[in-house]
Amino acid sequence: TLKENGIKPSPDRPTSWRAFLRSHADVIAAADFFTAEVWTARGLVTHYVLFVIDHTTRAVEIAGITTNPDSAFMAQVARNLTDGVDGFLRNKRFLILDRDTKFTEHFRSILEAAGIRCMTTAFQAPNMNAVAERFVLSIKRECLDRLILFGTRHLVRAVDEFVRHYNTERPHQGLAN
C-alpha cells in the first residue's frame, strides 16, 4: 500500500507546479497578451494581441486583436474559445492566466461555466506561464521586431502568417524539435 511505502495520502502530498503541468499537459492551455505598435492615420497605436497556446502540441490560436481589450471584447473571446463545435478550449480543463486585469471576472466566469478552471500564476512569476512567454519571445523576435506595421490589417496578416508557420513548420524545443 501507499502508507507502507512512505507515500502520504493524496491531499497531504505536495505537488509542484512542474509536476502538475507535466501530468495534465493534454488538458492545459495558456493565454496571454502581447502588444504591437502599429502606424495608422492617427499615428502610432498600441494593439493588444490575445493568444491561447496548447501545452501538449504548442499549437497557437489568436483569440483577438484590439486597441481596447475591454470587458465586452473579453467576454466575446471567452465565448468563442469555449464554443462546443470549434472553440480552441473545447477539450481543455485548465487555462493558465497571469494576473493581468484584462482577464476580467466575466471572462473567467464564462470559462468556468464551460468547465475550464482558470489557474492564475503567482505575482511577477512569468516562469509559471513559460510556454506562453516563450511564444511571445518567438513572435516578437522572429517576426514583429523585423517589421514596421502600417495599419491593423498589416498586423493581422503578419501575425496570421507567423502563427501558420509556428503551428506547421517551426520546430519546438519543448517537443524535442
Side-chain angles (χ1 to χ4, degrees):
T1 65
L2 294 175
K3 191 180 267 186
E4 291 169 352
N5 290 308
I7 299 173
K8 295 180 180 181
S10 182
D12 300 329
R13 198 176 321 142
T15 302
S16 70
W17 184 250
R18 179 174 284 167
F20 171 79
L21 293 178
R22 239 186 262 122
S23 63
H24 294 89
D26 58 329
V27 292
I28 294 177
D32 205 355
F33 281 93
F34 64 88
T35 60
E37 302 296 326
V38 176
W39 282 104
T40 66
R42 299 177 312 193
L44 197 58
V45 176
T46 301
H47 285 68
Y48 298 87
V49 181
L50 174 61
F51 69 94
V52 182
I53 186 166
D54 184 307
H55 265 236
T56 303
T57 64
R58 301 300 197 267
V60 170
E61 172 87 8
I62 299 300
I65 299 175
T66 184
T67 57
N68 182 22
D70 59 5
S71 184
F73 170 80
M74 293 303 292
Q76 185 59 51
V77 165
R79 287 189 291 272
N80 293 346
L81 289 172
T82 58
D83 182 70
V85 176
D86 61 355
F88 189 77
L89 298 177
R90 70 185 172 281
N91 297 321
K92 301 299 178 193
R93 290 184 34 221
F94 302 101
L95 181 65
I96 300 172
L97 305 169
D98 59 20
R99 294 181 178 272
D100 195 329
T101 57
K102 293 180 206 70
F103 296 116
T104 62
E105 282 303 317
H106 188 51
F107 173 82
R108 292 169 190 266
S109 67
I110 293 170
L111 293 175
E112 300 276 342
I116 299 166
R117 184 170 169 206
C118 295
M119 307 290 293
T120 306
T121 61
F123 183 69
Q124 293 184 339
N127 286 344
M128 290 183 78
N129 200 357
V131 174
E133 296 294 338
R134 181 63 176 103
F135 173 74
V136 172
L137 179 68
S138 295
I139 193 167
K140 290 221 174 202
R141 191 181 72 223
E142 298 173 26
C143 179
L144 298 177
D145 289 349
R146 299 171 182 265
L147 298 172
I148 298 173
L149 300 166
F150 293 100
T152 303
R153 286 189 333 187
H154 190 195
L155 170 64
V156 169
R157 181 169 178 184
V159 168
D160 285 346
E161 294 262 341
F162 181 81
V163 167
R164 190 175 311 113
H165 161 71
Y166 187 87
N167 287 341
T168 59
E169 301 167 347
R170 186 180 185 278
H172 301 280
Q173 289 179 346
L175 301 176
N177 288 323

